[in-house]
Amino acid sequence: VDWAVKNVKRFLWSEAHCYSKELWLGGISDCGYEDMNGKVAVLDFKSSKEVYLSQFWQCVAYAIQIEENGLYTPDGELLFKLEKPIDYVSILPFGMDKPEVQSNFDMVGGKEAIKAMVVLYKKLN
């Protein structure tokens, strides 16, 4: 709560569905917010005791899907589309002794990683 009061101007969504036709991906994003500087971020809650790069990449995959098609209800009703790209992704590892939000700002590299993962997955399967 303290982190949110200090860093979040407003929360934008919670448990919203997203998908990408281009990458043939789908998921449910835990949360999104606009920070105090007007930047938009995807936030994911993890039960782990630390943050892993793969967790950031999962959020980047959500960002790709959200930017492509917007956010949806479980029934497929469009909630809204963002007016601008997602600026970064954040993880809150609540399994940590003193949980603190950690962020990754490399959206270009993250998007390249996701696209490479999809290509490798398709080649292997």
Side-chain angles (χ1 to χ4, degrees):
V1 172
D2 293 337
W3 172 86
V5 168
K6 181 179 176 186
N7 295 285
V8 176
K9 183 184 292 185
R10 64 186 174 127
F11 286 98
L12 301 171
W13 71 84
S14 174
E15 294 294 316
H17 294 243
C18 51
Y19 72 97
S20 168
K21 282 186 179 179
E22 180 183 329
L23 296 177
W24 202 248
L25 295 173
I28 302 171
S29 174
D30 286 350
C31 184
Y33 65 93
E34 178 183 5
D35 70 17
M36 295 301 191
N37 296 314
K39 297 196 179 295
V40 175
V42 172
L43 174 62
D44 206 41
F45 303 101
K46 298 294 185 188
S47 60
S48 60
K49 293 183 179 183
E50 58 188 282
V51 174
Y52 302 99
L53 183 57
S54 60
Q55 294 169 334
F56 287 123
W57 284 342
Q58 178 184 358
C59 290
V60 172
Y62 292 146
I64 290 169
Q65 296 168 62
I66 293 164
E67 290 174 0
E68 183 181 327
N69 294 301
L71 294 149
Y72 293 81
T73 68
D75 295 325
E77 181 182 334
L78 178 65
L79 294 169
F80 66 93
K81 291 188 176 191
L82 293 177
E83 295 176 9
K84 62 181 192 167
I86 293 169
D87 297 293
Y88 63 99
V89 295
S90 299
I91 302 292
L92 176 59
F94 59 83
M96 226 180 227
D97 288 337
K98 294 182 180 179
E100 66 179 63
V101 173
Q102 296 180 36
S103 299
N104 184 303
F105 297 88
D106 182 13
M107 295 301 289
V108 172
K111 288 176 180 179
E112 289 175 0
I114 295 302
K115 289 175 185 175
M117 285 180 233
V118 169
V119 168
L120 287 172
Y121 178 81
K122 287 179 180 178
K123 294 288 184 192
L124 294 172
N125 294 294

